[in-house]
Amino acid sequence: MQPDRRSFLIAGSAAMIATTTEAGDNVGQESAEKLIAEHVEKVRPLEIAAGKAWWEANTTGRKEAYAKKEATQNAIDAALADKAVFTRIKAAATHPKLDEKTKRQLHLLNLAYLEKQVDPELLKKMTAKSNAVEQAFNVFRAKVDGNEMSDSEVRKVLKESTSSEQRQKVWEASKQVGAVVEKDLLEVVSLRNEAARQLGFKNYAALSLHLNEQDPDAVLKLFDELDELTRKPYEHAKAEIDIKLAAKVGKKPADLMPWDYQDPFFQESPAVFDADLDATYRNVDTLKLCREFYRGVGLPIDDVIARSDLYEKAGKSPHAFCTDIDREGDVRVLANIKPNEYWMGTMLHELGHAVYSSKNIPAAVPYLLRGEAHILTTEGVAMQFQKFSKSRAWLEKMGVTVENPKAFDEAAAKMLRNELLIFSRWCQVMLRFEKALYEDPKQDLNGLWWSLVEKYQGLKKPTDRNAPDYGSKIHICSAPVYYHNYMMGQLFASQVHHALCKALYNADPKTVLYIGDPNVGKFMTEKVFAPGRSLPWNDLLKHATGEGLSAKAFAKDFQS
Ligand SMILES: [Zn+2]
């Protein structure tokens, strides 16, 4: 085997074909198809093997499975780093007579290969530094009065301690990790920027958005719109929360400090509206409800359930995810179901991913396009279905008896509203901070972080605080420039739901429950699932709803 020589020769011929742009031949099309077929032939078995190894690792915890997953992932990365193939892809894409599907596949290949073209030495340094930060996070324990505290102990104190002084101490101690990782984190940022510049981008945030087919200005404009439309509802919700919190901790609402909000970042809703949604779920067969619901909307998931691993066992990952192993219908869910609201919502969520997969994308769609359009569109679909776990009307129509309907309604509606609004303000902070961080890592980042927290979350900066608190959020290191996708997924969920309600029911989106209506599955399949990645995410949204992504539908959900 002489792979280098072979790809060199083909690279040469592809470049020549690309420059002969005379009309009347389909050599460019044929050569592009060949190039795509070669890539798929090489990478597809690796992707399937990686998927299977990942599944085994997470369901059993076996070390060999993790090692196998890592080795296959390395092989995929090595394939995508192939400069000769990358050159051929770029050349092939310039041919003027390609059909739409081929053009789209070449574009996606171009992005996938571009990401891996970073100088290997630089890549090694980046990985080493970010591993160092992650490791520091893993071993860090907040130290209070000489005692070490785990993350969950910190959360417990923030939630349950009645002493403001104690909460402050613990909150401050938990932020210490920022100072521990600050230096390494800033080096990671600078290495990432260097890599981005090598690839022709002004900074890492710009590169990262480009790789995700997102335009920085458009994303920012969307978040401005979101800010505008949610500011009032957020202020209203927070005022209500503040009154409850203040009463709980014995302060005036105006005196509340960041350590009074239960979550170290105030990214989640504090538990102040005491409602036991779980009481209703104690006797519910979560799986049966999911099965019946998805079958009723014309998107049966029995085959997925049969392949899934759904209950706790030794060595297994405690989380939940859905994976499409082969893009030929082998779709599985990992979960750890318990009879409570959290797992009902989580199962509706994961099965939402499951129906938006090769199960419902026609086999005629090429392998490279046979998946979700974007991470935000699949998260959106998952969240669209997840929300029903907090709907009393949905539960009752599914045959579940809700013990105290009025209390459930009030609490669930408030919880959902607070969760979404609080999370949206937190995402504003993350998006804007990361953008500014990569644009100018030498600015006063401590000050910037708190000015955003004050502006968007409405929290008060502790007097004289000057610490790298941004560094205490691990995602800035481990999932950079990614957070906004969660929020955009929520906007997508609302927008698709509203469009579906209009098309099928012409009814108030708040009242539509989907139950027993196969037209829901038909709408979702035709409008959202079937195109796979053939369309970029925003074009898919136009196809599904008639317009590009906006915050309008999401904001409407908060108008009473
Ligand atoms: Zn998800």
Side-chain angles (χ1 to χ4, degrees):
M1 295 291 274
Q2 293 176 297
D4 289 340
R5 185 167 171 75
R6 185 164 158 266
S7 51
F8 172 73
L9 288 173
I10 296 167
S13 63
M16 276 176 62
I17 290 159
T19 51
T20 21
T21 53
E22 291 304 312
D25 65 70
N26 59 354
V27 183
Q29 174 72 29
E30 277 171 17
S31 131
E33 281 173 11
K34 188 162 172 280
L35 181 55
I36 291 165
E38 280 171 20
H39 166 87
V40 171
E41 197 188 328
K42 185 166 38 168
V43 172
R44 180 189 203 163
L46 292 171
E47 286 178 339
I48 294 173
K52 285 185 175 157
W54 180 236
W55 178 259
E56 199 199 327
N58 279 283
T59 49
T60 65
R62 266 184 221 125
K63 275 213 179 86
E64 314 85 78
Y66 279 104
K68 190 168 180 211
K69 154 78 181 157
E70 198 183 318
T72 14
Q73 191 55 51
N74 287 343
I76 294 170
D77 288 348
L80 298 179
D82 190 323
K83 283 206 172 15
V85 179
F86 183 50
T87 307
R88 288 172 62 205
I89 292 166
K90 283 190 290 185
T94 62
H95 197 278
K97 295 220 155 194
L98 300 172
D99 68 35
E100 286 305 315
K101 281 216 157 58
T102 306
K103 243 193 255 175
R104 180 79 188 134
Q105 290 178 84
L106 285 178
H107 178 67
L108 292 172
L109 280 183
N110 193 335
L111 294 177
Y113 279 76
L114 172 63
E115 188 183 5
K116 306 291 176 191
Q117 300 303 308
V118 178
D119 166 38
E121 276 309 303
L122 181 58
L123 195 62
K124 230 190 248 167
K125 273 198 240 167
M126 269 165 64
T127 313
K129 273 285 162 208
S130 72
N131 283 347
V133 173
E134 283 182 40
Q135 243 153 38
F137 260 96
N138 287 342
V139 299
F140 174 82
R141 298 288 177 275
K143 268 198 205 81
V144 180
D145 302 331
N147 296 320
E148 295 203 333
M149 298 175 77
S150 70
D151 191 55
S152 60
E153 285 167 332
V154 165
R155 286 172 181 276
K156 198 170 151 64
V157 170
L158 292 179
K159 202 169 166 181
E160 292 172 8
S161 166
T162 51
S163 153
S164 179
E165 198 189 330
Q166 178 68 4
R167 288 197 305 279
Q168 178 175 358
K169 257 196 211 170
V170 168
W171 181 88
E172 281 170 355
S174 77
K175 299 286 166 187
Q176 277 297 324
V177 69
V180 174
V181 301
E182 181 184 20
K183 192 169 156 279
D184 280 345
L185 179 59
L186 290 177
E187 272 179 55
V188 173
V189 167
S190 134
L191 291 168
R192 283 177 182 158
N193 271 347
E194 198 183 324
R197 281 192 291 269
Q198 274 186 5
L199 301 180
F201 291 80
K202 61 179 183 182
N203 62 53
Y204 179 78
L207 165 68
S208 185
L209 289 173
H210 175 82
L211 293 174
N212 279 291
E213 300 194 277
Q214 289 170 335
D215 170 43
D217 294 335
V219 172
L220 198 60
K221 205 169 144 236
L222 181 69
F223 273 69
D224 284 341
E225 184 200 16
L226 176 66
D227 169 36
E228 197 58 40
L229 291 173
T230 57
R231 194 179 308 128
K232 281 256 146 59
Y234 176 71
E235 281 168 3
H236 177 77
K238 182 165 175 290
E240 222 177 68
I241 291 169
D242 282 357
I243 291 171
K244 291 257 185 191
L245 269 182
K248 200 171 169 212
V249 302
K251 288 184 177 179
K252 285 194 204 116
D255 296 336
L256 288 171
M257 295 304 290
W259 44 87
D260 295 323
Y261 286 83
Q262 300 184 359
D263 180 280
F265 300 95
F266 190 35
Q267 69 178 78
E268 278 170 23
S269 178
V272 285
F273 298 98
D274 18 318
D276 187 9
L277 299 193
D278 289 345
T280 293
Y281 280 101
R282 231 155 263 153
N283 298 313
V284 167
D285 182 342
T286 308
L287 204 52
K288 183 166 165 273
L289 221 56
C290 287
R291 227 189 259 273
E292 285 170 5
F293 172 67
Y294 276 100
R295 191 186 296 140
V297 299
L299 299 168
I301 39 83
D302 304 82
D303 60 326
V304 176
I305 302 279
R307 278 183 235 103
S308 292
D309 196 309
L310 299 172
Y311 297 95
E312 281 184 336
K313 64 182 192 200
K316 183 179 162 180
S317 156
H319 305 295
F321 64 78
C322 173
T323 177
D324 188 344
I325 298 279
D326 58 1
R327 302 192 206 176
E328 286 182 5
D330 182 354
V331 179
R332 311 173 187 181
V333 168
L334 178 144
N336 294 273
I337 299 176
K338 296 258 170 169
N340 57 32
E341 192 274 324
Y342 172 81
W343 279 106
M344 184 73 222
T346 301
M347 281 307 290
L348 286 170
H349 179 107
E350 297 310 332
L351 290 165
H353 286 305
V355 293
Y356 184 7
S357 70
S358 58
K359 265 178 68 61
N360 293 309
I361 304 170
V365 174
Y367 178 80
L368 289 180
L369 306 179
R370 212 183 304 140
E372 69 271 9
H374 197 276
I375 181 78
L376 81 86
T377 64
T378 186
E379 284 307 330
V381 168
M383 294 188 272
Q384 187 184 342
F385 289 110
Q386 178 178 358
K387 285 183 193 166
F388 289 120
S389 70
K390 287 198 176 70
S391 162
R392 181 202 29 114
W394 184 85
L395 276 164
E396 287 181 343
K397 204 170 170 192
M398 288 299 298
V400 175
T401 312
V402 178
E403 292 292 335
N404 189 343
K406 196 162 169 285
F408 188 100
D409 265 355
E410 268 174 23
K414 274 204 176 126
M415 277 166 76
L416 190 59
R417 179 199 68 174
N418 291 348
E419 263 172 31
L420 292 173
L421 284 172
I422 287 170
F423 188 66
S424 93
R425 304 308 279 185
W426 164 245
C427 289
Q428 293 276 0
V429 173
M430 288 294 280
L431 173 87
R432 290 166 200 275
F433 180 80
E434 287 193 289
K435 181 177 179 290
L437 168 70
Y438 288 102
E439 276 170 4
D440 178 12
K442 294 208 160 62
Q443 64 183 303
D444 170 16
L445 296 170
N446 302 358
L448 171 69
W449 177 258
W450 274 103
S451 75
L452 292 169
V453 168
E454 287 187 306
K455 179 169 178 192
Y456 292 99
Q457 294 185 282
L459 291 184
K460 217 185 295 160
K461 178 184 166 212
T463 324
D464 300 331
R465 185 158 182 89
N466 182 16
D469 291 330
Y470 61 89
S472 66
K473 185 70 193 166
I474 191 167
H475 294 71
I476 292 187
C477 172
S478 63
V481 199
Y482 186 81
Y483 231 88
H484 60 283
N485 285 311
Y486 296 126
M487 194 61 235
M488 287 165 79
Q490 288 288 5
L491 304 185
F492 180 93
S494 290
Q495 192 166 325
V496 170
H497 176 65
H498 283 232
L500 183 154
C501 292
K502 194 163 171 226
L504 300 185
Y505 305 99
N506 203 18
D508 178 359
K510 287 195 181 87
T511 64
V512 174
L513 305 170
Y514 300 180
I515 295 170
D517 186 355
N519 285 324
V520 170
K522 210 166 156 255
F523 180 96
M524 293 304 291
T525 302
E526 282 170 12
K527 298 286 187 179
V528 181
F529 305 160
R533 294 185 86 184
S534 306
L535 297 172
W537 63 270
N538 213 25
D539 291 347
L540 176 74
L541 205 61
K542 284 177 197 156
H543 168 74
T545 72
E547 50 186 331
L549 188 61
S550 99
K552 278 183 294 186
F554 179 79
K556 254 197 199 137
D557 290 342
F558 302 108
Q559 283 162 5
S560 44

